[in-house]
């Protein structure tokens, strides 16, 4: 299994541009999570899906952030418009259904907004 | 309310010394507990997990953790630190959600001196 796949691995953009981060979870996993990691705030849960349905988006910082999961094998996190304070590493993780299961993390996307 | 508290955001030890990273949790139901490790520029990887089978859990790279219900703790230890153990360590709690959500601590950065 290839694990959780994220693209791009690095993204540099200018303030005001739209940014789209992509994630392919592990096949058969029912839940998918988007996290943001910064030095100041640590690891934050932004949103998570179960069976492609958003369950909790209370961690999404502003309306500029949106996430979708059109099917079981693909999810996107979009920032529009981007701001310098959005610079962070964004992780996607997936897990199978049930309690006590670990989350499997992707390698992350390092976003820099100039 | 904080679900997972990691005491000490930074821990430094000498190579060969004991490693002790502290984690306390809060849960109204029997918890599942995890320790993850994050090496520089990588995603989080599972180190070990407690799922009520045994209170002393052994993980990869010589790490182990002991679940102590009376102290609501799940501290991570390794008898002898190696330079390659330098990383950030996260304690996480599953409150029994069937959707796989984990509550992460703020992380502890471990530095190993030669």
């Amino acid at each position: 299994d290839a694990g959780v796949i994220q693209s791009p691995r690095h993204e540099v953009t200018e303030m005001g541009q739209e940014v789209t981060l992509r994630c392919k979870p592990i096949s058969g996993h029912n839940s998918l999570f988007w996290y943001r990691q910064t030095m100041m705030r640590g690891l934050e849960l932004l949103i998570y899906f179960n069976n492609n349905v958003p369950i909790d988006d209370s961690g999404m910082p502003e309306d500029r952030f949106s996430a979708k999961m059109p099917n079981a094998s693909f999810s996107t996190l979009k920032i529009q418009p981007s701001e310098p304070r959005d610079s962070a590493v964004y992780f996607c993780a997936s897990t199978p259904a049930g309690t006590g299961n670990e989350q499997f993390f992707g390698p992350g996307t390092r976003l820099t907004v100039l | 309310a904080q679900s997972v508290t990691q005491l000490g955001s930074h821990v430094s030890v000498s190579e060969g010394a004991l490693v002790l990273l502290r984690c306390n949790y809060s849960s109204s139901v029997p918890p599942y507990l995890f320790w993850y490790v994050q090496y520089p520029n990588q995603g989080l990887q599972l180190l070990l997990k407690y799922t009520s089978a045994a209170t002393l859990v052994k993980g990869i790279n010589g790490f182990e953790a002991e679940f102590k219900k009376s102290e609501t703790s799940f501290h991570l230890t390794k008898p002898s630190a190696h330079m390659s153990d330098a990383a950030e360590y996260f304690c996480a709690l599953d409150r029994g959600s069937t959707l796989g959500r984990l509550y992460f601590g703020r992380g502890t950065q471990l530095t190993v001196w030669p």
Side-chain angles (χ1 to χ4, degrees):
Chain A
D1 197 321
V4 176
I5 298 173
Q6 290 188 248
S7 64
R9 292 293 312 277
H10 301 273
E11 176 82 28
V12 180
T13 190
E14 293 189 345
M15 183 174 62
Q17 296 298 306
E18 177 180 297
V19 175
T20 300
L21 311 182
R22 297 173 176 80
C23 175
K24 176 179 169 56
I26 293 173
S27 177
H29 284 191
N30 300 81
S31 292
L32 182 141
F33 302 79
W34 281 102
Y35 293 89
R36 177 172 70 175
Q37 186 178 37
T38 61
M39 291 289 289
M40 291 296 294
R41 302 176 69 92
L43 190 67
E44 304 172 274
L45 176 65
L46 300 178
I47 184 171
Y48 72 100
F49 297 83
N50 180 254
N51 293 329
N52 313 335
V53 175
I55 302 300
D56 184 353
D57 66 354
S58 60
M60 297 284 262
E62 301 171 35
D63 291 345
R64 298 184 295 107
F65 286 69
S66 63
K68 294 182 179 180
M69 191 163 187
N71 57 61
S73 59
F74 184 65
S75 177
T76 60
L77 177 67
K78 186 178 293 187
I79 308 173
Q80 166 64 17
S82 58
E83 296 183 3
R85 58 188 167 140
D86 302 331
S87 297
V89 181
Y90 291 82
F91 289 104
C92 176
S94 70
T95 187
T99 55
N101 290 316
E102 68 180 278
Q103 288 185 11
F104 293 79
F105 280 74
T109 296
R110 182 173 296 276
L111 173 64
T112 302
V113 183
L114 302 175
Chain B
Q2 191 78 7
S3 298
V4 176
T5 302
Q6 291 184 238
L7 297 174
S9 58
H10 291 83
V11 170
S12 295
V13 299
S14 298
E15 194 172 20
L18 171 71
V19 175
L20 171 60
L21 305 182
R22 299 178 186 274
C23 173
N24 289 89
Y25 70 90
S26 172
S27 179
S28 58
V29 300
Y32 298 95
L33 292 158
F34 304 78
W35 275 100
Y36 281 82
V37 60
Q38 183 182 27
Y39 299 105
N41 301 312
Q42 294 186 26
L44 280 68
Q45 306 170 39
L46 182 71
L47 206 52
L48 52 81
K49 69 177 180 181
Y50 166 76
T51 56
S52 77
T55 57
L56 183 63
V57 182
K58 294 188 184 299
I60 61 172
N61 300 336
F63 284 93
E64 63 182 35
E66 186 172 9
F67 173 73
K68 292 187 176 181
K69 183 178 179 181
S70 61
E71 299 178 8
T72 61
S73 69
F74 189 57
H75 301 333
L76 182 70
T77 60
K78 181 174 179 178
S80 177
H82 192 273
M83 297 292 290
S84 60
D85 295 327
E88 187 153 24
Y89 293 80
F90 293 89
C91 183
L93 166 71
D94 178 343
R95 286 175 165 171
S97 164
T98 58
L99 304 183
R101 176 173 182 168
L102 298 181
Y103 293 83
F104 284 87
R106 288 294 304 250
T108 297
Q109 182 67 45
L110 175 67
T111 300
V112 182
W113 300 101

